[in-house]
Amino acid sequence: MSRVYPFDDAATARAVIDDDGTLVEWNEGARRLLGHPADDVLGRPATRLLAGDGPLPAPSGIRWQGTVGLRHRDGRTVSVWLLAHRRPSRDGHGDGWLVVSPLTGGETPAADDPLAVASLIQSPCAVAVYDDELRLRRMNAAMAEIAGLPEDRVRGLRLTEISSEPQGEELEQGLLQVLTTGQPLDVQTYMRTGGEERAHAWLARLAPVTDAGGRVRGVCLAAHDVTDIQRARQRLQLVNEASVRIGSTLDVTRTAQELADMCVPALADFVTIDLLDPQEYGGEPPARITAPVNLRRAAHQSILRGIPEAVAQPGQIDVYPDFSPQADALTAGRTICKTVSEGDMDHWLTWSSVRGERVREFGIHSSMSVPIQARGLTLGVAVLTRHRRPDPFTDDDMLLAEEITTRAAVCIDNARRYSRERETALALQRSLLPRMLPRTAALDASSRYLPAARHGVGGDWFDVIPLSGMRVAMVVGDVVGHGIQASATMGRLRTAVRTLADIDLAPDELLTHLDDLVVRLSEESGGEGSPGEVGATCLYAVYDPVSRRCTLARAGHPPPVLLTPGGEPHQLDLPAGPPLGLGGLPFESAEVGLPEGTVLALYTDGLVVSRERAGDSGRQLLFQALRGYADSLDETCDHILHALLPPGGTNDDVALLLARTRGLAPSQVATWDIPADPALVAPVRKQVVDQLERWSLSEIGFTTELVVSELVTNAIRYGAHPIRLRLIHDAATLIVEVSDTSHTAPHLRRAKIFDEGGRGLLLVAQLTQRWGSRHTAEGKTIWAELSLLEEDQ
């Protein structure tokens, strides 16, 4: 689109010559200069305008200037100074040359001319003054140097005639705005001037020039080269961007890739990030590195699709000799720049022929190797190369690369330390959690544990603990926090629960003892005895397959979800109880009957609580997942995790324990009330033997008879009435239980040679697989287990 100005366009002689030397444009100014009308010259060779028979000068580059003798229409020769610009094809026209010559401005300005006064000839700042027709009136030496043209030759030309750059039109529009409004204006642009090969960033400050009466007579243009400021701003912006983009996760590979992405194309055309393998040095990078060095490719990036320059792929380990750029930077501990043209890399490229081929194929000419260092350790090296950008790396490039790499190094080291701690904590966690759940006659169980995806391993745990009388305990807990400390605390609590479960404490009593332990652990960790620095929640349940009843208590933990055969999933209503570690607050137990085949879901809150879910939606998803319960507990566990957890993992670790209850048939249990007379123990033994025959267990009749005799005799002698004997059996175990109302617990003792008693419990301990006692609401129960498996007998 042509520009419209309210000025005399004929004040400049302008012509356009096509690439084949044909005149294609001829304005009124050209006619005024040489007298030829447009119809006489358009479409004809430009050489016809030359005075004499000399050839038309052949300009090169994008601009040409010189004095040429031209033929006037009246036959005389006119010596004309010409300025020619290479004009790219546009508006349907091909390439050509725009040739201009000023017709005005040759006269010397008057001494009192305000335009002349404003020229600031001696100023180091580049200044040019344009008149009210936006034609150059004066410019100082600094501006002439920038333009690369003498003032006396371009005086009278407009800015768009002095410069053919597209930005010249933008500046001329700014001049027109200042001329018409009388208001100053700043224009920022990026352009090439004076025939320079590289463009610069410029700030053009435009101000009106007024006469004594305040009338705008022209425009003053002051040009400032702000390239260095612009580059500094870009570098600062790049560093700030790096601090945001690099280290978004605690993953070493991801962080290395973010560093590579940051450097392309801002600093280099191709970047590789190679890291030392800590396992080679015992888990920690060495304090001093010697060549050759093994490096693992962590990441790379390129301006070319598919990264064709790469020789090694991510995860691959390569050996780098002492003359390689990577080893040079690592052993020297500083950034090293090399260029192919100076032969700095000849030895390396000859030794690695594949890399030599890539260098020649893509025209790689410069390399900069930056050690990745953090906290006094060298973690690896970043190698930046250029092949599309023609300029080599500068000192400023080196400083910028080092700044970005230093920031990335801290993030990589943090990720490395986090990964190492996470692996250690995960190994500790796995060693503390049960490798497999025990098989019991009371229930079938399946479990899952998933560490947190972002915050590392936490303190979630679960357990299934066989108890006496075919009963079984189920426990799920969650220690506040993450990392090794949380895992270690979890291990202590799990051990404590197992110890307390072995003495058959009721669930509420067990949680009371566990609360005391957490308080002590909190005091130890706090150093000043202040509670609350260690916290945990816990759910403890004991299921009895004989009565098919379950006793539960919880300490601030989510209640379990039940699915009875043929029923709907629902949350069990339990007293909440305070979290462990508060100290001194009571816990309450609840007892419920569970039909055979009931499924209990015990879990930590990481399963149902999420920032992405509001309210109780997580628990509703759990109900929905349990509705699809199949016979396989393992499949149900997987289905629940898939339904409730996002693909990338959660912010908290997750423990899930599913248990399906079994019940012992009445035919598997036999009970007798024992009279207080020791003389009647023999008939009891006879009843026991008869019961074993009915159960087809006669092969252990003698052993069972001895155990029953000792336990019943002790109960009659030392216990309190009423006394009850109970036998329970399944496919693997026979249990003998004797209960009385005395709370005095028995204990083993060493009998002397001439003692008549004291050997009963010792005999029971030798004849049975295990034995023990538990307190009940009525008194106590002494129990002993006999194995029915041949390998255990």
Side-chain angles (χ1 to χ4, degrees), residues 739-760:
S739 304
D740 67 81
T741 56
S742 171
H743 291 280
T744 303
H747 62 277
L748 286 174
R749 67 183 180 89
R750 181 180 295 277
K752 298 179 181 178
I753 296 176
F754 298 106
D755 287 348
E756 295 182 1
R759 298 177 177 85

Side-chain angles (χ1 to χ4, degrees), residues 43-59:
R44 300 180 181 181
T47 53
R48 295 184 59 181
L49 297 176
L50 293 176
D53 298 329
L56 184 69

Side-chain angles (χ1 to χ4, degrees), residues 433-434 437 443 445-447 460-467 472-478 490 493-499 501 507 510-511 514 537-543 550-555 557-558 580 600-604 655-659:
L433 290 174
L437 299 178
L443 51 81
S446 182
S447 62
D460 289 15
W461 91 92
F462 59 88
D463 212 345
V464 174
I465 308 170
L467 303 176
V472 65
M474 296 165 284
V475 58
V476 172
D478 184 359
M490 177 274 291
L493 295 184
R494 177 172 177 258
T495 301
V497 169
R498 279 191 159 266
T499 302
L510 183 142
L511 292 181
L514 200 60
T537 63
C538 185
L539 170 67
Y540 186 78
V542 176
Y543 173 67
C550 185
T551 306
L552 309 95
R554 64 187 180 115
H557 201 83
L580 299 174
L600 294 90
L602 286 71
Y603 54 90
T604 55
L656 172 65
L657 177 63
L658 291 185

Side-chain angles (χ1 to χ4, degrees), residues 366-390:
S366 301
S367 168
M368 177 166 57
S369 304
V370 186
I372 302 174
Q373 299 171 323
R375 300 182 178 97
L377 295 176
T378 300
L379 308 177
V381 60
V383 179
L384 294 75
T385 56
R386 287 180 176 176
H387 52 78
R388 282 285 183 89
R389 295 173 61 166

